[in-house]
Amino acid sequence: MIRRLWCVQCQSASFSSTSTTTNKKKPVVLLGAPQVSTIVLDALLTASASPHSSFEVAAIVTQPAARRDRGKKLSLSPLANYALDRGFSQNLIFTPQRAGDDTFLSDLKALQPQLCITAAYGNILPTKFLDIPPFGTVNIHPSLLPMYRGAAPVQRALQDGVKETGVSLAFTVRALDAGPIIATEAVQVDHYIKAPDLLELLFHKGSELLIRELPSIFDGSARVKAQPQDDSKATLAPKIGPDESWLFFDQEASVLHNKVRAFSGWPGSRTQILVVDKNGEKKTLEIKVITTRVCTHESVQFNEADDITFVNDALVFPCGRGTTLEVLELQLPGKKVVNAAAFWNGLRGQKLKKT
């Protein structure tokens, strides 16, 4: 069963007030779910409020309510919550399990959407969905397509240590992130930026790109100028799994630093270290590594190859090929994030070693 927000099934007739027969503005539908989707909604609502706007946001499509906070309660998606905060009608927020469900598609058709926009929606759109809006469906994708097609473009780009990435506005087709590109904008990547911050930046850029290109989408010129992607240059950005979060210090420091940046937020980056007391007894400790940098000290001295030492404000780990990684912030299970100095002081003279 397809359900609207609050799991209340409504009749399609309830949408008649938004039909194009009574409103000259073109109905637009936004599909999204996470926090970055709210950036796009905010841009659309602001632009649609202009006296000269030719469109309105007619509905929101998002993921069903899910259990958050370790499964304690059922919560709406960030996009749904933000839409409600902006005064959006709960009857116009859809939460289908699948975008191809017949009841949902029937309700969507009743809105007569002229354009659909996806922003980190997370569900596959079938042909029978894509056939509904006459101006098509466009996607804000946080990479320079055809690079990094898939579920985790920002994370995979940071993991690869790219110096430049960007955002693409493209028409949606059945193949994964393979539609014609309407416009792109490149962004230089700071060596220390983490995935959540870069993702937010790219969706701000993507929202600006969308608002700028909406006139060309509505007058049809975007279809003409959109460039097909060169599939031979495509790379994939597959979904990240929790098992990828482990750090292995036989790799070079730059590889580990990029991984920490890429997996910031979820799934995070973790490792195990040995705490050695004054009697030589060892205890294994799992830590989550929050912030790092590639070591700039040329002559860090380690008594043994597996020693972890403390220099200035960082825990210093020996890594592959003679490189060293500085850990600036870390977190113990169930504890708050602390800086390296606070963690080191809490050891009270105990030593640290790699496992």
Side-chain angles (χ1 to χ4, degrees):
M1 181 184 294
I2 300 303
R3 299 180 187 274
R4 289 199 184 85
L5 198 58
W6 315 128
C7 299
V8 178
Q9 189 173 15
C10 304
Q11 297 297 321
S12 298
S14 65
F15 298 114
S16 60
S17 63
T18 61
S19 169
T20 52
T21 59
T22 58
N23 195 324
K24 293 181 180 180
K25 288 192 172 185
K26 297 178 179 65
V28 168
V29 173
L30 175 65
L31 297 86
Q35 191 64 37
V36 290
S37 303
T38 69
I39 298 170
V40 183
L41 178 56
D42 182 68
L44 287 169
L45 291 176
T46 300
S48 67
S50 166
H52 305 293
S53 171
S54 63
F55 73 93
E56 65 178 0
V57 183
I60 301 294
V61 181
T62 189
Q63 299 290 349
R67 296 197 181 278
R68 309 178 198 278
D69 297 330
R70 300 181 181 179
K72 292 181 180 179
K73 61 179 180 179
L74 209 58
S75 300
L76 304 175
S77 74
L79 181 61
N81 277 320
Y82 184 76
L84 291 171
D85 289 344
R86 289 292 302 263
F88 214 83
S89 170
Q90 65 186 49
N91 289 332
L92 297 177
I93 300 176
F94 296 88
T95 59
Q97 292 288 344
R98 294 178 302 276
D101 287 331
D102 289 337
T103 306
F104 163 66
L105 291 177
S106 175
D107 286 341
L108 184 67
K109 287 178 182 178
L111 284 171
Q112 300 181 34
Q114 298 297 291
L115 175 71
C116 290
I117 298 161
T118 55
Y121 175 48
N123 277 6
I124 295 173
L125 301 179
T127 300
K128 55 186 178 180
F129 176 99
L130 297 175
D131 287 343
I132 292 174
F135 290 104
T137 298
V138 298
N139 180 41
I140 298 175
H141 186 78
S143 82
L144 295 175
L145 291 170
M147 298 287 288
Y148 298 107
R149 293 175 176 174
V154 170
Q155 293 92 331
R156 297 303 183 187
L158 286 179
Q159 189 178 7
D160 289 344
V162 300
K163 306 283 191 223
E164 181 183 76
T165 186
V167 61
S168 303
L169 184 66
F171 285 107
T172 300
V173 297
R174 285 289 292 134
L176 178 67
D177 297 323
I181 299 171
I182 302 167
T184 63
E185 184 167 340
V187 172
Q188 298 304 304
V189 179
D190 181 271
H191 189 56
Y192 295 101
I193 195 169
K194 298 177 182 178
D197 297 325
L198 181 56
L199 188 65
E200 182 178 341
L201 172 63
L202 292 176
F203 269 93
H204 276 293
K205 297 287 186 183
S207 297
E208 294 169 2
L209 209 60
L210 171 67
I211 299 304
R212 189 161 69 239
E213 293 295 334
L214 277 177
S216 70
I217 295 171
F218 288 137
D219 69 20
S221 61
R223 283 282 184 189
V224 177
K225 72 175 184 178
Q227 296 296 308
Q229 295 186 38
D230 184 347
D231 291 339
S232 69
K233 295 181 179 178
T235 60
L236 296 180
K239 184 178 179 180
I240 295 167
D243 290 342
E244 294 184 70
S245 65
W246 288 102
L247 299 177
F248 300 101
F249 290 95
D250 56 344
Q251 296 181 304
E252 291 186 48
S254 60
V255 172
L256 298 173
H257 172 65
N258 289 335
K259 188 171 184 177
V260 171
R261 296 192 298 143
F263 295 172
S264 175
W266 193 92
S269 298
R270 52 193 171 137
T271 191
Q272 290 184 333
I273 58 176
L274 293 177
V275 180
V276 185
D277 67 18
K278 295 177 181 179
N279 297 321
E281 294 188 11
K282 299 176 181 179
K283 180 178 67 174
T284 300
L285 188 65
E286 182 178 316
I287 62 171
K288 188 174 183 180
V289 178
I290 305 298
T291 304
T292 59
R293 66 184 175 214
V294 177
C295 188
T296 56
H297 305 291
E298 296 182 0
S299 57
V300 176
Q301 298 296 318
F302 299 99
N303 292 328
E304 297 180 20
D306 58 354
D307 278 353
I308 302 167
T309 188
F310 182 77
V311 179
N312 294 334
D313 59 347
L315 296 176
V316 182
F317 287 70
C319 302
R321 294 198 168 192
T323 60
T324 49
L325 182 72
E326 296 179 325
V327 173
L328 305 177
E329 292 180 309
L330 63 152
Q331 185 177 20
L332 296 174
K335 304 294 184 179
K336 294 182 179 180
V337 174
V338 296
N339 61 39
F343 176 75
W344 184 262
N345 291 336
L347 292 174
R348 301 188 181 203
Q350 298 179 100
K351 296 181 180 180
L352 296 179
K353 289 183 176 291
K354 297 189 300 180
T355 53

